[in-house]
């Protein structure tokens, strides 16, 4: 039992740091490329088309082709989405155009698109080759499942609700997902994510840590707090509780 606990604790710490850094770096250098870097990255389109599609899905469609008029409304009307779909069908093969629709234009990802997001999870399985069968191996597997996957879970199931009004998100969800969204951490990443959309060079993490250590995190300005309140993205009591405070190791 002791071997399991030690392996779970040690590997858990390692895997959390690793996953948080992967998320932050992958988000900055693949998903949210600057226009200048996007030109250079375009050369990879023929080598790894799925990686290019992942970038286009999130960095272009999610950030610039949707939520254009309001942070909490993906499209102004049905015609706007229809025009986007038509443009994608002209620009990309049918299977890619359909994949962009399935991901809701970068708001989540399909299981086919899981591979680049989950690279740390796959790599951590190599530890099993060096560990003897038994409690330590079980602890490593448990740590990989618990500590390497939160940003995958958040990216697929939580992120789509980051752009919804708080009360709407709470009404549309139930169970564990509702608990996550309503928790202090869920509200914190909702606030942090809003700042990311105002300033795409900061606040990449949904699994907190690396942004802070890399100097890629900033708190919302008073004006951004006002905007979030006016959008009903958060409620006034959230501002009272969180503005300028530190809780759960998270820098609000």
């Amino acid at each position: 039992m002791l071997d399991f606990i030690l392996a779970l604790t040690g590997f858990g710490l390692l895997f959390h740091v690793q996953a948080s850094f992967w998320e932050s770096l992958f988000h900055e250098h693949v998903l949210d490329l600057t226009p200048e870097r996007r030109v250079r990255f375009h050369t990879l389109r023929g080598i790894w088309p799925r990686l290019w599609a992942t970038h286009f899905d999130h960095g272009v469609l999610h950030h610039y082709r949707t939520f254009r008029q309001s942070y909490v409304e993906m499209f102004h009307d049905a015609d706007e989405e229809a025009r986007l779909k038509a443009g994608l069908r002209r620009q990309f093969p049918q299977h890619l155009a359909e994949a962009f629709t399935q991901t809701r234009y970068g708001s989540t990802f399909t299981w086919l698109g899981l591979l680049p997001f989950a690279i740390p999870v796959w790599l951590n399985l190599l530890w099993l080759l060096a560990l003897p069968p038994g409690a330590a191996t079980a602890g490593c597997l448990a740590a990989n499942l618990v500590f390497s996957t939160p940003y995958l879970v958040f990216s697929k199931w939580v992120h789509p609700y980051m752009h919804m009004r708080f009360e709407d998100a709470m009404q549309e969800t139930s169970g564990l997902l509702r608990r996550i969204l309503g928790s202090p951490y869920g509200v914190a990443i909702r606030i942090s994510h809003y700042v990311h959309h105002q300033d795409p060079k900061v606040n990449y993490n949904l699994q907190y840590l690396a942004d802070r250590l890399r100097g890629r995190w900033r708190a919302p300005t008073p004006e951004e707090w006002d905007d979030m309140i006016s959008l009903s993205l958060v409620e006034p009591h959230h501002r009272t509780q969180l503005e300028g405070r530190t809780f759960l190791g998270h820098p609000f």
Side-chain angles (χ1 to χ4, degrees), residues 116-223:
F117 282 90
I119 284 178
V121 179
W122 315 133
L123 291 178
N124 289 340
L125 296 177
L126 295 176
W127 282 99
L128 302 181
L129 301 177
L131 294 172
T137 297
C140 179
L141 284 171
N144 197 24
L145 177 64
V146 174
F147 294 98
S148 297
T149 60
Y151 80 97
L152 298 176
V153 173
F154 287 3
S155 294
K156 182 166 180 62
W157 285 290
V158 177
H159 177 256
Y161 294 95
M162 297 289 98
H163 287 263
M164 294 179 64
R165 295 174 178 86
F166 181 76
E167 190 59 35
D168 291 344
M170 297 301 288
Q171 289 179 359
E172 289 197 17
T173 56
S174 61
L176 179 60
L177 182 55
R178 191 176 191 273
R179 289 178 179 271
I180 292 173
L181 291 170
S183 70
Y185 192 87
V187 175
I189 60 174
R190 167 180 291 265
I191 295 165
S192 183
H193 191 66
Y194 178 81
V195 174
H196 171 67
H197 274 262
Q198 312 314 304
D199 183 0
K201 295 182 180 180
V202 298
N203 295 26
Y204 302 108
N205 274 141
L206 296 179
Q207 186 168 342
Y208 172 71
L209 183 64
D211 283 347
R212 190 71 165 176
L213 297 179
R214 298 179 60 233
R216 298 295 194 276
W217 185 90
R218 76 166 176 83
T221 64
E223 293 76 15

Side-chain angles (χ1 to χ4, degrees), residues 110-121:
T110 63
W111 293 114
L112 184 61
L114 176 66
L115 179 60
F117 282 90
I119 284 178
V121 179

Side-chain angles (χ1 to χ4, degrees), residues 45 49-54 56-57 61 88-89 91-103 112:
R45 184 174 181 176
R50 173 55 59 180
L51 190 63
W52 167 259
T54 299
F56 185 86
D57 197 22
L61 296 181
L88 293 174
R89 286 194 296 267
Q91 188 176 357
F92 293 95
Q94 181 180 351
H95 72 280
L96 269 184
E98 291 176 352
F100 293 143
T101 303
Q102 292 169 1
T103 66
L112 184 61

